[in-house]
């Protein structure tokens, strides 16, 4: 089978790996139907987070179960499944508390489980899923192919955008600002609208992303940044946002978010940290700003969001604005890095 490997900055290649097989009784072998490239994948691709050795890539995928271990009970061969970006056993104290990303035994696709064994990357033809019962979520039936992009977003970006909105306490009637117009930010717009926000301001400077943000429920677009952007938002919303969703992870984006929220407002942050963002405690204290967020426990949100997709309540699939064969994965990375596409979908 073939899988994607990052060798260093700007160097992504396909490699051959042994055919997948159940290794432990809790494993499942999944044939990948679709995967994708994430913005966080670009930190290694750009050399911002250097890799010491070749690394398996991909933490978002959906597929069909081919084989299961003897102890797997919740999925079976033939099931279409969604794989959250973190592997979790579903039974440890953190999983029971809904924070599957801190599972005592799990880990992340393309990395290593906390119990010691390697975990496959999702940008591949097949994946062996550890802890299949705790990790994989099956759909009621094999979906129509047109629904695959929306289901794929549930492995990460839709769940992460939803986490930003939940962390910020978005509720009906709120005025919300979303900082970041990548796939997560756009899904945060959709999540805020779904939770009943009255105004949703998308901070975006790109026409294609602005258009999609409006489709997802943005009522306003602000293209300016820095002090000018803060002033424009405050004027637009009459003093600032009730809730700001930070979906980038840089120092500049965090500063934008912190100064856009009104006194007494809430900040939900989900951007993968890069560039040294910090919280100015004095500013938070003086303005009574509440801050929550972090890595999204997507597995906990999956049942709710899956039901919303299947009911036609949300359609986050359009964040995938280009499709590539797995053989062209290097082109997908290049195009996303150059902002030619919002988020590339990969088909093995």
């Amino acid at each position: 089978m073939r899988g994607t490997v990052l060798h260093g900055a700007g160097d992504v290649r396909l490699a051959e790996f042994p055919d997948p097989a159940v290794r432990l009784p809790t494993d499942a072998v999944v044939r990948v139907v679709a995967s994708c490239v994430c913005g966080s994948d670009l930190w290694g691709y750009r050399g911002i987070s250097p890799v010491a050795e070749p690394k398996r890539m991909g933490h978002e995928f959906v597929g069909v179960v081919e084989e299961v271990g003897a102890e797997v009970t919740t999925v079976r061969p033939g099931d279409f499944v969604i794989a959250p970006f973190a592997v979790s056993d579903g039974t440890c104290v953190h999983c029971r508390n809904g924070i599957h990303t801190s599972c005592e035994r799990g880990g992340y696709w393309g990395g290593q489980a906390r119990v010691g064994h390697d975990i496959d990357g999702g940008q591949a033809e097949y994946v062996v899923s550890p802890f299949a019962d705790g990790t994989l979520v099956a759909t009621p039936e094999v979906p129509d192919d047109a629904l695959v992009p929306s289901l794929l977003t549930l492995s990460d970006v839709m769940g992460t955008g939803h986490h930003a909105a939940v962390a910020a306490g978005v509720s009906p009637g709120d005025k919300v600002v979303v900082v970041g117009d990548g796939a997560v930010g756009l899904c945060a717009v959709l999540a805020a609208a779904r939770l009943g926000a009255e105004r949703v301001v998308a901070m975006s400077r790109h026409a294609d992303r602005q258009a999609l943000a409006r489709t997802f429920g943005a009522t306003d677009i602000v293209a300016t940044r820095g002090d000018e952007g803060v002033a424009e938002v405050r004027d637009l919303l009459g003093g600032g946002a009730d809730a700001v969703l930070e979906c980038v992870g840089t120092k500049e984006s965090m500063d934008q978010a912190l100064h856009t929220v009104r006194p007494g407002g809430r900040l939900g942050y989900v951007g993968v940290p890069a560039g040294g963002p910090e919280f100015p405690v004095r500013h938070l204290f003086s303005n009574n700003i509440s801050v929550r967020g972090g890595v999204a426990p997507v597995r906990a949100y999956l049942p709710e969001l899956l039901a919303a997709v299947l009911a036609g309540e949300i359609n986050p699939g359009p964040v995938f604005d280009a499709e590539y064969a797995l053989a062209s994965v290097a082109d997908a990375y290049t195009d996303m890095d150059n902002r030619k596409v919002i988020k590339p979908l990969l088909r093995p």
Side-chain angles (χ1 to χ4, degrees):
M1 58 157 277
R2 300 177 302 166
T4 303
V5 178
L6 176 66
H7 288 263
D11 187 3
V12 168
R13 311 175 207 168
L14 276 186
E16 295 286 338
F17 294 95
D19 289 337
V22 166
R23 298 167 293 194
L24 297 171
T26 52
D27 286 350
V29 175
V30 179
R31 174 176 56 83
V32 176
V33 170
S35 61
C36 53
V37 182
C38 180
S40 62
D41 293 334
L42 296 181
W43 299 135
Y45 182 76
R46 292 169 175 166
I48 296 171
S49 301
V51 294
E53 57 186 23
K55 173 180 170 54
R56 296 284 295 271
M57 296 299 291
H59 54 262
E60 305 157 274
F61 67 92
V62 295
V64 175
V65 175
E66 297 282 308
E67 182 184 359
V68 298
E71 296 180 11
V72 176
T73 62
T74 62
V75 298
R76 62 184 186 273
D79 281 350
F80 186 94
V81 293
I82 302 165
F85 66 81
V87 171
S88 55
D89 67 9
T91 63
C92 81
V93 61
H94 305 310
C95 290
R96 295 197 305 272
N97 285 328
I99 309 299
H100 299 76
T101 47
S102 294
C103 176
E104 293 179 334
R105 301 169 68 200
Y108 294 92
W109 303 105
Q112 191 174 64
R114 295 183 180 97
V115 292
H117 54 73
D118 291 337
I119 306 176
D120 294 340
Q123 293 169 8
E125 294 175 319
Y126 290 87
V127 173
V128 177
S129 172
F131 308 119
D133 282 338
T135 301
L136 303 176
V137 175
T139 59
E141 57 188 23
V142 176
D144 183 83
D145 192 64
L147 199 58
V148 166
S150 281
L151 296 175
L152 180 56
T153 68
L154 303 186
S155 68
D156 187 347
V157 292
M158 186 62 223
T160 299
H162 178 71
H163 185 52
V166 169
V170 174
S171 58
D174 275 349
K175 300 173 184 178
V176 178
V177 170
V178 178
V179 178
D181 63 357
V184 170
L186 291 167
C187 286
V189 168
L190 183 57
R194 174 176 175 266
L195 292 175
E198 178 182 304
R199 300 278 293 274
V200 181
V201 179
M203 301 199 76
S204 173
R205 292 178 286 192
H206 303 87
D208 56 340
R209 300 172 190 232
Q210 292 172 355
L212 187 52
R214 288 196 180 277
T215 298
F216 280 179
T219 57
D220 304 273
I221 303 292
V222 169
T224 52
R225 292 292 183 270
D227 292 342
E228 185 181 354
V230 170
E232 185 172 346
V233 168
R234 289 186 177 278
D235 182 62
L236 189 66
L237 300 183
D242 300 310
V244 176
L245 316 185
E246 195 286 311
C247 302
V248 183
T250 64
K251 183 179 186 303
E252 293 75 16
S253 62
M254 186 61 77
D255 288 346
Q256 190 78 71
L258 285 166
H259 291 90
T260 302
V261 64
R262 65 166 173 79
R266 293 99 56 195
L267 170 66
Y269 71 101
V270 295
V272 178
E278 297 177 350
F279 290 120
V281 175
R282 174 63 67 178
H283 176 76
L284 300 177
F285 179 84
S286 299
N287 292 281
N288 283 282
I289 295 171
S290 302
V291 177
R292 292 185 60 210
V295 58
V298 167
R299 178 62 182 82
Y301 297 133
L302 249 169
E304 173 188 349
L305 296 178
L306 174 58
V309 167
L310 295 179
E313 181 184 334
I314 56 173
N315 176 30
V319 296
F320 296 106
D321 56 340
E323 187 171 310
Y324 300 76
L326 183 62
S328 300
V329 65
D331 294 333
Y333 271 80
T334 298
D335 289 349
M336 188 176 186
D337 185 35
N338 292 332
R339 298 184 72 87
K340 290 177 63 177
V341 301
I342 299 171
K343 190 168 179 68
L345 187 146
L346 299 172
R347 298 274 192 175

